[in-house]
Amino acid sequence: MPIYEYRCKQCHTIFEKLQSIGASNENVICPECNATKPEKILSAFSSSGFMSTASSGGSCGPSGSPFT
Ligand SMILES: [Zn+2]
């Protein structure tokens, strides 16, 4: 199973979650503030500067999986 990286929309905490491929963020809960549905960060973008580019996009599709 791959490890997905999430950023909480409430407290902006970034954490990792082990999930099966294609899993949504519906059941992911922030370890800091217990907020649900954090923003998924694609590992391809998490090399260095993702924190400055991850927001203000609004291009999140209907939970489509990039792996299929
Ligand atoms: Zn949080």
Side-chain angles (χ1 to χ4, degrees), residues 2-23:
I3 295 178
Y4 291 102
E5 211 166 357
Y6 287 97
R7 186 182 64 176
C8 177
K9 295 176 182 176
Q10 297 290 330
C11 65
H12 301 149
T13 295
I14 294 175
F15 57 97
E16 293 176 343
K17 175 80 172 176
L18 192 65
Q19 287 190 295
S20 58
I21 291 176

